[in-house]
C-alpha cells in the first residue's frame, strides 16, 4: 500500500486537546535554511543565525556559543 493511501477514510481518534495537556511540546530552532523566499543554506552560520534571531523569539532558539 502506498504511504499516501494508509491514512485515508477518517479523522483522528486522538483527543488532541487532552494530548496537548499531557505532553505539551515547544519547538526549538537551531538554524534557518530559507526565509522570505531566499535560500540561505550557503551563507555563513553567523548570518543564518542573525536571520533566525529576527524570525524566532529567543525562547524558541537553541542557545549557541560562537567560537572564533
Amino acid at each position: 500500500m502506498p504511504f499516501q493511501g494508509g491514512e485515508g477514510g477518517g479523522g483522528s481518534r486522538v483527543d488532541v486537546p487532552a494530548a496537548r495537556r499531557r505532553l505539551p511540546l515547544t519547538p526549538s530552532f537551531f538554524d534557518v535554511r530559507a526565509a522570505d523566499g531566499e535560500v540561505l543554506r550557503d551563507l555563513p552560520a553567523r548570518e543564518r543565525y542573525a536571520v533566525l534571531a529576527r524570525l524566532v523569539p529567543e525562547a524558541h532558539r537553541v542557545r549557541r556559543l560562537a567560537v572564533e
Side-chain angles (χ1 to χ4, degrees):
M1 170 184 307
F3 175 77
Q4 294 86 351
E7 291 297 320
S12 174
R13 290 183 281 255
V14 174
D15 180 356
V16 175
R20 283 186 181 146
R21 286 189 298 275
R22 282 192 310 274
L23 184 63
L25 299 176
T26 302
S28 294
F29 299 89
F30 65 91
D31 200 356
V32 60
R33 307 302 256 172
D36 300 324
E38 182 181 349
V39 176
L40 308 174
R41 70 175 169 256
D42 293 329
L43 292 179
R46 178 182 299 126
E47 293 179 36
R48 290 194 319 271
Y49 195 79
V51 173
L52 184 69
R54 181 174 50 87
L55 297 173
V56 177
E58 184 176 6
H60 295 288
R61 293 191 314 260
V62 173
R63 284 192 229 162
R64 67 190 285 266
L65 175 63
V67 179
E68 297 183 28

